[in-house]
Structure formats: structure tokens, C-alpha cells
Amino acid sequence: MYDPQSNPEGYINLSVAENKLIFEPLRPRLETLDRIPEDYAHYGDFTGRAAFKEALGNFLERHVFRRPVNPAGICMGAGAGPVMEFLAMALMDPGEGIIIPTPYYPGFDIDHVWRPQCKVIPAHMSSAEKFDLDLSILEKTRKEAEDGGTRVKAIMLCSPSNPLGRTWPKEKLRQVLAWAHSYKIHAIVTEVYAVSCFGTEHNSSADILDDPEARPYTHLLWSFSKDFGLSGFRMAMIYTENPELQAAFGNMVYFFGASAYLMHAITGILKDREFVDNFVLKVKRTLKDAYTYTADVLNEFGFKFLPADSGFFVLVDMREFLEENSWEGERKLWLSLLQGAKVNFTPGAACHCVEPGWMRVCFASLTPEALRLGLLRAHKHLSQAKK
């Protein structure tokens, strides 16, 4: 891998959606952790220790959901992948379907298919409309799946969106959730980039929980991996006010429980409101600067891309560089950049894009210098290939 001193010709990975730009503000807090109380060394509530749930609930009320949070609805697990997998197993039987608007994070296929054996049903949004959520496409996708013999039990929304880096308007979210609830379809909304909004305010779907009809069918996800840059801690949660789902989680979390020690460590940080509020502002400023720099470099090298206001990524339009307008053409382009320029992008096929030629660029997992070098390599390689 690339290192400016030891391996300047190494591979540059632009495909990891991780924020490594915000660790320094957290470092002093993590290096001066309180000693762990004895009861945290023993069995406790696997869904989350009481003090931790209270502190996390207060944080969610202020910075994510912006509505009252019942600590009983917080279900902690060891990472977003395992808690999504739990939801798939709890809400669907093997062979039943979950609709996910495209393009979407490639890991959703793993979470829902590998062990739960559910059927992921992509709802292909139009690139001409910048992949905006379209209710008519969702309905068409649902009807075609049902007519084809697949029972649709859930829809998943990523809000803000990965890989689009976009916050969905609140009214659009309400329309989609109301559509799902009209069919008694469970709505799973992952809001793991809620704090990482740098060009707009986060629009949470949590206010739909005020509707008693929708409450049993709405489940929200959030984790420390993205907004706190602590992906190695493996700490994520489902927030649901469905008591049956809470009970199911309480039984199944035995297999993927979060660390009691880490809950204790994070509790101390979350209880310091002044620190957390300042940290949230730091996250937003840092990401805004990183995105602005990335957009400037993309423009400098002539890459077209969709503007972003959230997250760690932009979707770049590389259709003009395809030798042939096909998925094989995209695979060849991606492989050419990987082998010829030593730069790795996330290809659009992995995100189930509606058409070939789109690539995701992640900008918060490496230094600005490495990012620029990676895009410069790609630019030079593609320019030479055109000759």
C-alpha cells in the first residue's frame, strides 16, 4: 500500500468509507479512560448497560433523532453489519424480500443474503434524476417482486445515502415511509452518517415513530463507526419501539454483543456534553474541508461527479471512459485503474447502479496528499488511454 516515504509507488485505496480525519480530538479522551467498575467485568444487560443507554439516548436526542429517546428501545450490538443481519433474520424468512433503492452500500448484500438468505430487491433509481428517490419506482419494484412470487417484507433506506453522499429531504422520507407502512412493510433506516452532514442538516426519520400505526414497522440504525470514526470499536445499535423486536434482540444479541468495557469508555465521553457538542462541530468542519478539497481536485482533473452534502464519498461519472457501455466495460475500466494506475475505486456494479460507468471515491480515510495523488494517477492513466 502507498506510503509517502516507504512505498511512494504503492496502491492508493479510494474505496474505504471510513473517517480517519477526526481521531485526534478523541485521542486524549481515549488515552485517559476511567478504570472499569467491577460490575462491567461480569454479565449484564447484553443489549446495553443502563448508564450507557442513558448517555447514548441523550446524544441521539440532541444530534441524531432530535426527538425523545426511550433507552429501552436502544439495542446495542458489535457493529452495524451484525445488527442489520439480526433485523433480516427477525423480520424476514429465507426467500422473502427487502427493497433497497440503488445505488447502495455493497455490504447490504452480505448483511441480508449470506446467512439470513433473504432476497435483496434493488429498486433502480434513474441517473438522469441524479438517483433521487422515486416513489413510482419503489411501487413498480414492489409489484414486480410480488407478482413474481417474492413476498416483500421490508425496505431499507440509507439516510444520508452511501454512496451518493446526500441527505434526503424530510418530505421525501415521509412519503417513502408512509408508502411502506401502507403495505405493512418494515422500514429500516440506517442513519450512520447523521452527524457527518456538512452541507445541510440531517433529516431523521425518527419523527415517524410518533405515529402509533407506523411505530411497530420503523427501525433506525446508528453506529460509532462513521460519525465518531471508531470503526474498530464495533459498536452499533438498532432503535426500535417495537417490544417484540426488542425481546427478540435481547435473546439473539448473545451472539454479537458489544463490549461492556467499550460501553463504559464511551459513556464517559458521551456524558461530557460540551466535549461532544464541540466534537460534532469539528466533524462537520473537517468533512466540509475534505469534501471541498476533493471537489476542487476532481474539477481540476476534469472528472464529472454528483455534488455531496454528507458522508465521506462522492459518486464520480466515468461513463465517458468506458470502452464499451456494459458491465464488462466497467469491470475492465476498474481493473485498468487498479493495475495501471494503482488506484482502487468502488465500481458502480458493486453498488447496483442502474448503468455502468459510475465509481465511488472515498475521501476521509487518507490524507489530502494521498487523495490528490490517487486522482492524479487516475487522470494521467485515463488521458494516456484515450490517445
Side-chain angles (χ1 to χ4, degrees), residues 109-172:
D109 291 324
I110 298 171
D111 301 332
H112 296 92
V113 175
W114 281 15
R115 293 200 296 184
Q117 298 180 33
C118 300
K119 185 175 181 180
V120 173
I121 307 166
H124 292 293
M125 300 298 141
S126 168
S127 62
E129 300 298 327
K130 300 180 179 179
F131 302 105
D132 193 20
L133 285 175
D134 188 323
L135 205 55
S136 66
I137 294 176
L138 292 175
E139 173 58 21
K140 181 174 180 287
T141 303
R142 184 204 66 80
K143 189 174 187 307
E144 288 177 351
E146 295 276 0
D147 290 347
T150 299
R151 185 182 180 191
V152 177
K153 293 291 290 295
I155 180 173
M156 170 166 277
L157 297 176
C158 189
S159 180
S161 166
N162 174 6
L164 294 174
R166 184 185 308 159
T167 301
W168 300 118
K170 184 171 282 290
E171 188 55 37
K172 180 77 71 174

Side-chain angles (χ1 to χ4, degrees), residues 205-220:
S205 298
D207 58 356
I208 198 72
L209 295 170
D210 295 333
D211 179 357
E213 297 283 329
R215 192 175 300 143
Y217 296 95
T218 307
H219 321 291
L220 310 173

Side-chain angles (χ1 to χ4, degrees), residues 16 32 36 45 49 68 71 79 106 113 121-122 141 151 153 179 205 212 217 219 238 262 305 309 312 318 334 348:
V16 181
T32 57
I36 187 168
D45 183 352
R49 300 300 176 105
V113 175
I121 307 166
T141 303
R151 185 182 180 191
K153 293 291 290 295
W179 167 82
S205 298
Y217 296 95
H219 321 291
I238 301 163
L262 291 178
F305 63 96
D309 58 33
F312 319 147
M318 293 193 176
W334 168 77

Side-chain angles (χ1 to χ4, degrees), residues 4 33 97 104 118 138 145 164 198 207-208 240 342 361 368 370 382:
L33 295 175
Y104 63 76
C118 300
L138 292 175
L164 294 174
F198 50 82
D207 58 356
I208 198 72
T240 179
K342 290 189 173 181
V361 171
L382 294 170

Side-chain angles (χ1 to χ4, degrees), residues 19-295:
N19 191 347
K20 295 184 178 179
L21 306 177
I22 57 170
F23 184 71
E24 287 308 313
L26 280 174
R27 184 191 296 275
R29 301 303 299 260
L30 295 173
E31 291 177 346
T32 57
L33 295 175
D34 295 335
R35 284 185 291 179
I36 187 168
E38 182 181 348
D39 63 314
Y40 276 74
H42 307 305
Y43 288 132
D45 183 352
F46 279 16
T47 70
R49 300 300 176 105
F52 172 78
K53 285 188 174 185
E54 181 181 357
L56 178 58
N58 289 333
F59 168 81
L60 295 170
E61 288 180 4
R62 300 197 322 278
H63 293 294
V64 181
F65 298 156
R66 296 187 177 89
R67 75 177 290 276
V69 170
N70 182 353
I74 295 175
C75 304
M76 286 300 303
V83 300
M84 288 184 196
E85 184 186 68
F86 159 78
L87 282 172
M89 291 179 172
L91 301 177
M92 290 171 277
D93 289 329
E96 292 183 329
I98 178 169
I99 293 173
I100 309 181
T102 71
Y104 63 76
Y105 163 60
F108 289 159
D109 291 324
I110 298 171
D111 301 332
H112 296 92
V113 175
W114 281 15
R115 293 200 296 184
Q117 298 180 33
C118 300
K119 185 175 181 180
V120 173
I121 307 166
H124 292 293
M125 300 298 141
S126 168
S127 62
E129 300 298 327
K130 300 180 179 179
F131 302 105
D132 193 20
L133 285 175
D134 188 323
L135 205 55
S136 66
I137 294 176
L138 292 175
E139 173 58 21
K140 181 174 180 287
T141 303
R142 184 204 66 80
K143 189 174 187 307
E144 288 177 351
E146 295 276 0
D147 290 347
T150 299
R151 185 182 180 191
V152 177
K153 293 291 290 295
I155 180 173
M156 170 166 277
L157 297 176
C158 189
S159 180
S161 166
N162 174 6
L164 294 174
R166 184 185 308 159
T167 301
W168 300 118
K170 184 171 282 290
E171 188 55 37
K172 180 77 71 174
L173 288 169
R174 285 175 177 158
Q175 290 173 0
V176 172
L177 293 177
W179 167 82
H181 297 142
S182 71
Y183 291 107
K184 298 294 190 279
I185 293 174
H186 288 270
I188 303 167
V189 187
T190 170
E191 300 190 1
V192 296
Y193 297 99
V195 169
S196 302
C197 297
F198 50 82
T200 185
E201 287 295 316
H202 171 57
N203 293 321
S204 178
S205 298
D207 58 356
I208 198 72
L209 295 170
D210 295 333
D211 179 357
E213 297 283 329
R215 192 175 300 143
Y217 296 95
T218 307
H219 321 291
L220 310 173
L221 280 79
W222 185 83
S223 85
F224 288 90
S225 295
K226 308 302 184 181
D227 284 341
F228 274 68
L230 296 174
S231 49
F233 275 33
R234 313 308 301 139
M235 294 182 68
M237 64 121 214
I238 301 163
Y239 182 74
T240 179
E241 296 185 1
N242 181 324
E244 293 180 344
L245 193 59
Q246 293 171 9
F249 188 92
N251 288 322
M252 293 299 294
V253 74
Y254 172 85
F255 297 101
F256 55 92
S259 161
Y261 174 75
L262 291 178
M263 281 191 273
H264 170 66
I266 293 294
T267 299
I269 294 174
L270 292 178
K271 288 171 72 174
D272 187 341
R273 290 197 176 197
E274 182 179 0
F275 172 81
V276 169
D277 292 349
N278 288 331
F279 177 74
V280 166
L281 292 175
K282 176 71 173 176
V283 169
K284 295 179 183 296
R285 286 196 298 267
T286 301
L287 287 174
K288 183 176 182 178
D289 291 344
Y291 168 73
T292 301
Y293 180 81
T294 303

